Amino acid sequence: MTSTDYSMLDVHRPDSDLPADETQTTEPNRLGPTFQPTHPVALAPVTAPPHSVDGFVKEFLRELNTGQGVALSRSSVNDQYLALARTVRHYLMARWLENTRKQRHSKARMVGYLSAEYLLGRQLGNALLATDLSDIAEKAMAACGLELDTLRAQEVEPGLGNGGLGRLAACFIDSLATMSVPCIGYGIRYEYGIFKQTFVDGRQVEQPDTWLALGNPWEFAHPESAVQVDFGGHTERYLDTDGVERTRWIPDWNVLGIPYNYMVPGYLNGRVNTLRLWSAQATKSFDLSIFNAGDYAEAVRAQTFAENITKVLYPEDSTPQGKELRLQQQYFFVACSIRDFIDRLMGPEEDLHTLPDRIIFQLNDTHPVIAVPELMRLLVDERKFDWDDAWEITQKCFAYTCHTLLPEALEVWPTDLLGRLLPRHLEIINQINEEFLSQVRATYPDDEIRARRMSIVTDYPERAVRMAYLATVAGSKVNGVAELHSQLLRDKVLPDFSQYWPDKFTNVTNGVTPRRFVKLANPGLSELITDTIGVGWLTDLERLEELEPYAEDADFRVAFAAVKATNKLQLRQLLKARDDIDLPTDHLLDVMVKRLHEYKRQSLKVLHIVTLYEQILSGKVRPEDITPRTFVFGAKAAPGYRLAKETIFLINSVAKVINADPLVQGRLSVAFPANYNVTLAGRLIPAADLSEQISLAGKEASGTGNMKFALNGALTIGTDDGANVEIRRLVGDEHFFLFGLLEPEVADLQSRGYRPHEYYENNPQLKAALDLIASGHFSGGDRGVFEPLVSNLLYEDRFLALADYQSYLDAQAKVEAYYADTEAWTRSAILNVARSGYFSSDRSMRDYIDRIWHTNPA
């Protein structure tokens, strides 16, 4: 056997040149957190294995033998994947532990990112990229007779997010690590995450997402660092030893939060930050006496009850029990996180007056805002700070990102629920509100209506706490996530607050990580870019502007188009294997992937498809006059969102009819692969020609899918909404298909009284499309199936799909005409890439650092 041929080697045999086994240096202290050795112990530093194929193979075989307990010849694909993941993990460990040690000693200010979602995607490819091990790993696996791509495909993506909010959080922590900025992300380790979407007869059916079933090699559990979290009970007043009247919380029940640590590696810079996710566990999980008495279910009831808190992402909250569980989730993870930072990362010897010098907690939307009264409770009740000092510290420790303009998405918690579940926190919120309103009244002494408008606690329609208001009052800064969104946030969502604190409001436009969404997702394009402008652009994305002159280079356009064609072919292969979908590769690929919501207007996209089909069906247009086009959807609807789920059924029903009709074969095709996720995005986005960003103007906060598509050479058809505004401005009007009402026009139309049925009556194409749906053509002749959807569009249409319909069709006609000019389209696609470097999450992080956090790289 040669030194590079391991195909016949079953078992790793330690050699003198292998690194010593240092796993004992990373084991938890089994004697408990208070144990101290009686004599100084010098622990050898953890060192990474050598950066060589031989070293990688030896480490892989050792993990396979000792970690999985199998020989290579008897191992399953899952064994091999787990061993590979742990091998790659080992290359990161030394950096991670050293970064953590230095952070503890330097006490530099760090970012604490509080987010209910982290849509991470698969970790193996990202870790290989960050460690520059991709080529070595591929050769090492080949030497063992294995294919790296097979093992990559074995990884199950963690479904810890629902859409843009969670994916943004993942992009941000990636960028902070790449920029060497100290950061700890805090969130929830959902046992089942977001549901796994399946389709049964075209309807969405939710299945548990069992992402942990085959093991997760990327996490480190630390039960010895569990945090106790209390709920319920009551409060009582008492005099402390200094005679000061104080309040204590007497809870009814509690659970434990178990931390699971994930490494967040920077790109080729040696920095590894931490993501800490919390899992709920009962404080007393098993009652042996009850079990022995024969009541087996009751014996484990406490554990079942506790585990429900972190069972699923966003439990369905149409019931009182669901609402309470959501609040339990939110308090659980922020209570664990704040306690963790204060007790473990700072330590008992540090003065908490310096807390703002050590941490800035970024509230990623309203889900973690209950952290504000929790920090106040810890400071006032447990650490005995006086109220004013505690409030001054708290206001310096939080900043708030608002991700929505929809009133229903700004969380409001009934005081009855808060008082029952978190009685002390409700008292603290009430006191914060009283003191804030006294300041408002002092500033506006003759404007009690304004004070009531700004009150954190509202009395209508029920007494409740407005969490966005609490975050705004407590936060040092409040930011929107795109220029238009931030302006509307100031002018329409929080106008009284922006007038009261004009300097508190700022904008940070979202961004995406180019490491995952260009380098990993689109290796062909990445290689072309590097060959053209050199290395370095992955951490300086605005260098993409160097590609602009090459839009006029015929050879470059040919190479660029070849990359797109290859991506389409790879997507076809994936969808055939994954979903048994036959995707044409010679069509215009028209893609709409995003959470299913009325304001995102998947209904408008369906109306366009039905219009094209109806025109051919009725003989108004010949099939050969239609540009061959495949429409691809990806979307999940919230389990309790009936209208969204009916829209999914309509899309699938339209797809079934169109795909089976020989009249449009080769011209129109509709695909809706189930369970859209980060992994599928990594294949779909690079293949797309047209990006659908068609939300009603003034409703989308930013969007990040629009950025990913532009960076991968898709042209956008969209409204002037969210970050579309900035994309259009940067790429140029001639390379963007704009349509629809502007936000002021939307507001004006709605104020005058919007009557959608008038658009139906006055537009023959729209009438024909809706009539075809209503006729039962897509529902086996049953006219009642889609009647609720049709009626909703005709008589309510909250997000003005019918008002924008004709403008949308006109823009789509321009798309068809432009796509016919292959050279012009390719030139525009190249310019979209070249002019979208602004939308890197690295730039977003620089903006957060400059405008909000004021932290420094390590």
Side-chain angles (χ1 to χ4, degrees):
M1 184 181 66
T2 67
S3 61
T4 57
D5 179 10
Y6 294 86
S7 60
M8 299 298 293
L9 183 59
D10 242 1
V11 180
H12 162 69
R13 297 177 178 85
D15 296 323
S16 58
D17 62 342
L18 283 177
D21 182 0
E22 293 145 339
T23 55
Q24 62 183 1
T25 66
T26 61
E27 283 286 304
N29 185 347
R30 298 188 183 280
L31 298 182
T34 60
F35 169 73
Q36 295 292 330
T38 55
H39 302 288
V41 177
L43 295 179
V46 176
T47 57
H51 254 64
S52 68
V53 174
D54 280 3
F56 196 98
V57 168
K58 291 173 183 177
E59 193 67 24
F60 169 73
L61 291 173
R62 180 165 68 178
E63 286 292 347
L64 194 61
N65 299 161
T66 63
Q68 291 305 109
V70 294
L72 178 59
S73 61
R74 303 291 296 172
S75 61
S76 67
V77 173
N78 197 61
D79 289 326
Q80 295 157 11
Y81 158 68
L82 292 173
L84 173 60
R86 292 191 184 106
T87 300
V88 177
R89 192 179 75 177
H90 197 173
Y91 282 81
L92 291 167
M93 284 297 303
R95 307 173 189 181
W96 188 33
L97 297 175
E98 178 65 8
N99 290 161
T100 302
R101 184 191 66 79
K102 286 183 176 179
Q103 179 63 32
R104 287 181 181 275
H105 284 286
S106 71
K107 300 182 180 180
R109 194 179 201 223
M110 64 191 304
V111 177
Y113 203 78
L114 297 175
S115 179
E117 299 184 33
Y118 288 93
L119 202 54
L120 298 171
R122 288 174 172 170
Q123 295 297 288
L124 177 58
N126 192 63
L128 287 170
L129 180 67
T131 51
D132 197 24
L133 283 171
S134 297
D135 290 342
I136 288 176
E138 186 169 14
K139 292 173 182 176
M141 293 304 97
C144 295
L146 307 175
E147 291 188 4
L148 179 59
D149 285 346
T150 300
L151 303 189
R152 286 178 188 264
Q154 180 65 18
E155 182 174 359
V156 179
E157 176 182 323
L160 303 178
N162 184 40
L165 184 77
R167 186 51 241 174
L168 186 77
C171 285
F172 281 4
I173 61 176
D174 171 273
S175 284
L176 288 169
T178 297
M179 298 165 67
S180 296
V181 175
C183 170
I184 182 166
Y186 284 116
I188 300 176
R189 181 183 180 266
Y190 303 100
E191 185 177 349
Y192 294 108
I194 189 67
F195 59 86
K196 180 180 179 180
Q197 181 191 52
T198 59
F199 295 139
V200 177
D201 297 328
R203 293 189 179 275
Q204 174 179 293
V205 175
E206 301 88 23
Q207 302 287 346
D209 180 8
T210 55
W211 67 283
L212 290 168
L214 295 177
N216 179 16
W218 301 105
E219 65 182 15
F220 297 82
H222 285 282
E224 80 287 352
S225 299
V227 174
Q228 180 174 303
V229 181
D230 297 324
F231 293 96
H234 63 278
T235 63
E236 63 181 23
R237 305 287 287 175
Y238 72 99
L239 294 179
D240 67 13
T241 54
D242 295 324
V244 177
E245 187 178 42
R246 296 193 177 275
T247 302
R248 66 164 64 96
W249 178 19
I250 312 297
D252 272 344
W253 57 282
N254 50 53
V255 300
L256 293 178
I258 309 299
Y260 286 77
N261 292 339
Y262 290 70
M263 292 183 285
V264 183
Y267 176 64
L268 301 182
N269 67 343
R271 180 76 194 182
V272 185
N273 284 336
T274 300
L275 171 63
R276 186 159 296 152
L277 303 180
W278 299 95
S279 180
Q281 194 176 96
T283 48
K284 185 180 180 183
S285 59
F286 180 72
D287 193 312
L288 183 60
S289 61
I290 293 177
F291 183 87
N292 287 337
D295 194 343
Y296 306 132
E298 181 63 22
V300 295
R301 187 186 69 84
Q303 181 65 8
T304 302
F305 183 77
E307 289 179 351
N308 282 341
I309 294 176
T310 53
K311 215 72 167 178
V312 298
L313 170 68
Y314 299 151
E316 211 284 304
D317 63 351
S318 60
T319 65
Q321 296 92 330
K323 284 186 173 65
E324 182 166 338
L325 185 55
R326 278 211 187 189
L327 182 55
Q328 288 174 10
Q329 278 189 344
Q330 293 178 9
Y331 176 64
F332 166 77
F333 101 85
V334 300
C336 288
S337 302
I338 292 177
R339 176 75 73 178
D340 176 74
F341 187 84
I342 289 177
D343 289 354
R344 295 188 62 82
L345 274 70
M346 284 191 70
E349 75 285 354
E350 291 195 51
D351 182 357
L352 287 187
H353 285 91
T354 67
L355 186 62
D357 299 325
R358 295 293 312 279
I359 189 78
I360 175 71
F361 288 111
Q362 187 67 35
L363 303 170
N364 193 30
D365 220 356
T366 52
H367 309 122
V369 174
I370 196 69
V372 170
E374 172 63 6
L375 179 56
M376 285 294 292
R377 185 188 70 82
L378 290 176
L379 293 175
V380 174
D381 294 356
E382 295 192 10
R383 298 299 182 98
K384 313 305 182 189
F385 279 62
D386 68 50
W387 178 272
D388 290 342
D389 283 351
W391 184 236
E392 183 179 358
I393 292 167
T394 297
Q395 286 185 297
K396 293 176 181 177
C397 285
F398 289 104
Y400 166 51
T401 300
C402 178
H403 284 278
T404 187
L405 292 168
L406 301 178
E408 63 266 30
L410 295 170
E411 284 187 309
V412 175
W413 289 112
T415 55
D416 285 348
L417 174 57
L418 264 171
R420 184 172 70 254
L421 197 64
L422 302 169
R424 178 55 178 147
H425 298 73
L426 180 60
E427 291 178 352
I428 291 170
I429 290 169
N430 283 330
Q431 186 168 347
I432 291 171
N433 192 45
E434 288 173 9
E435 296 197 359
F436 168 62
L437 290 182
S438 68
Q439 296 167 7
V440 172
R441 291 183 176 110
T443 305
Y444 305 101
D446 300 319
D447 197 346
E448 182 60 24
I449 298 300
R450 178 189 293 267
R452 292 186 182 185
R453 286 200 311 264
M454 297 179 73
S455 176
I456 297 169
V457 181
T458 181
D459 290 317
Y460 182 83
E462 62 179 332
R463 190 163 178 80
V465 175
R466 297 185 274 205
M467 303 305 282
Y469 287 20
L470 176 59
T472 302
V473 171
S476 58
K477 288 285 185 178
V478 177
N479 74 281
V481 291
E483 290 177 1
L484 175 62
H485 173 247
S486 294
Q487 189 62 50
L488 294 174
L489 183 66
R490 287 189 292 264
D491 295 347
K492 294 196 171 185
V493 179
L494 298 169
D496 293 318
F497 292 92
S498 66
Q499 184 178 358
Y500 189 67
W501 284 308
D503 294 336
K504 182 176 282 198
F505 287 77
T506 189
N507 172 65
V508 178
T509 298
N510 284 343
V512 301
T513 170
R515 273 77 62 182
R516 180 175 291 275
F517 288 106
V518 183
K519 177 65 174 176
L520 289 177
N522 203 339
L525 179 61
S526 298
E527 185 177 350
L528 179 61
I529 293 171
T530 299
D531 289 346
T532 305
I533 66 173
V535 298
W537 57 272
L538 275 174
T539 52
D540 184 8
L541 201 62
E542 295 197 42
R543 280 195 57 205
L544 290 181
E545 65 188 13
E546 296 172 31
L547 292 174
E548 278 207 39
Y550 293 92
E552 304 304 324
D553 185 313
D555 290 339
F556 186 84
R557 289 199 300 272
V558 169
F560 188 92
V563 168
K564 184 68 73 174
T566 298
N567 291 340
K568 287 184 177 182
L569 180 60
Q570 291 174 345
L571 177 63
R572 173 186 170 85
Q573 294 167 344
L574 173 67
L575 291 184
K576 181 62 180 176
R578 181 186 188 269
D579 302 276
D580 197 27
I581 292 173
D582 288 308
L583 196 75
T585 57
D586 57 348
H587 284 197
L588 188 162
L589 192 60
D590 184 342
V591 179
M592 185 172 190
V593 287
K594 48 187 78 254
R595 180 168 51 91
L596 205 304
H597 196 288
E598 289 168 85
Y599 85 84
K600 294 180 183 287
R601 301 201 297 189
Q602 284 90 351
S603 57
L604 181 57
K605 180 74 252 173
V606 176
L607 286 174
H608 171 231
I609 297 170
V610 173
T611 296
L612 292 176
Y613 179 60
E614 191 280 331
Q615 288 177 325
I616 295 174
L617 200 64
S618 63
K620 300 184 188 79
V621 175
R622 298 180 304 169
E624 56 268 29
D625 294 333
I626 296 285
T627 297
R629 192 188 302 221
T630 293
F631 306 93
V632 180
F633 290 87
K636 292 181 179 180
Y641 193 170
R642 182 190 59 80
L643 202 62
K645 295 179 82 168
E646 287 301 309
T647 302
I648 285 177
F649 182 49
L650 174 60
I651 295 169
N652 279 326
S653 299
V654 169
K656 183 178 179 180
V657 170
I658 288 178
N659 294 342
D661 193 336
L663 187 62
V664 294
Q665 189 171 11
R667 290 290 159 179
L668 295 180
S669 175
V670 183
F672 195 158
N675 206 45
Y676 179 73
N677 56 17
V678 177
T679 303
L680 180 54
R683 285 290 173 263
L684 180 54
I685 291 172
D689 294 306
L690 187 66
S691 165
E692 298 274 353
Q693 308 298 330
I694 60 177
S695 55
L696 177 64
K699 299 303 178 185
E700 183 72 81
S702 169
T704 53
N706 46 9
M707 303 169 187
K708 295 164 194 168
F709 281 105
L711 280 166
N712 282 278
L715 276 63
T716 303
I717 182 169
T719 53
D720 245 6
D721 194 27
N724 288 356
V725 177
E726 290 151 272
I727 291 174
R728 181 174 63 85
R729 185 176 68 232
L730 289 169
V731 304
D733 285 329
E734 64 272 33
H735 310 295
F736 186 108
F737 301 100
L738 178 67
F739 79 95
L741 297 168
L742 301 178
E743 190 279 329
E745 295 171 329
V746 169
D748 178 64
L749 177 57
Q750 291 175 327
S751 69
R752 289 187 286 108
Y754 172 53
R755 291 175 287 277
H757 63 275
E758 292 182 359
Y759 291 84
Y760 163 81
E761 292 163 357
N762 295 323
N763 190 316
Q765 284 182 302
L766 176 58
K767 186 176 189 302
L770 280 169
D771 286 352
L772 189 62
I773 296 171
S775 72
H777 187 84
F778 302 107
S779 49
D782 188 340
R783 295 172 178 267
V785 171
F786 296 120
E787 190 278 331
L789 280 177
V790 172
S791 292
N792 179 271
L793 286 170
L794 288 176
Y795 303 110
E796 185 173 0
D797 190 19
R798 290 175 60 205
F799 299 101
L800 280 58
L802 303 196
D804 273 349
Y805 169 85
Q806 189 57 53
S807 177
Y808 182 51
L809 257 61
D810 294 343
Q812 288 287 3
K814 293 177 184 177
V815 168
E816 296 217 356
Y818 199 57
Y819 190 74
D821 186 342
T822 303
E823 291 298 313
W825 185 278
T826 303
R827 187 180 293 108
S828 288
I830 293 168
L831 290 174
N832 265 262
V833 176
R835 295 173 179 176
S836 294
Y838 174 79
F839 298 107
S840 169
S841 50
D842 299 350
R843 187 271 314 150
S844 297
M845 293 300 90
R846 288 193 296 271
D847 288 349
Y848 271 99
I849 290 167
D850 292 344
R851 301 170 189 176
I852 300 173
W853 298 335
H854 309 298
T855 53
N856 297 309

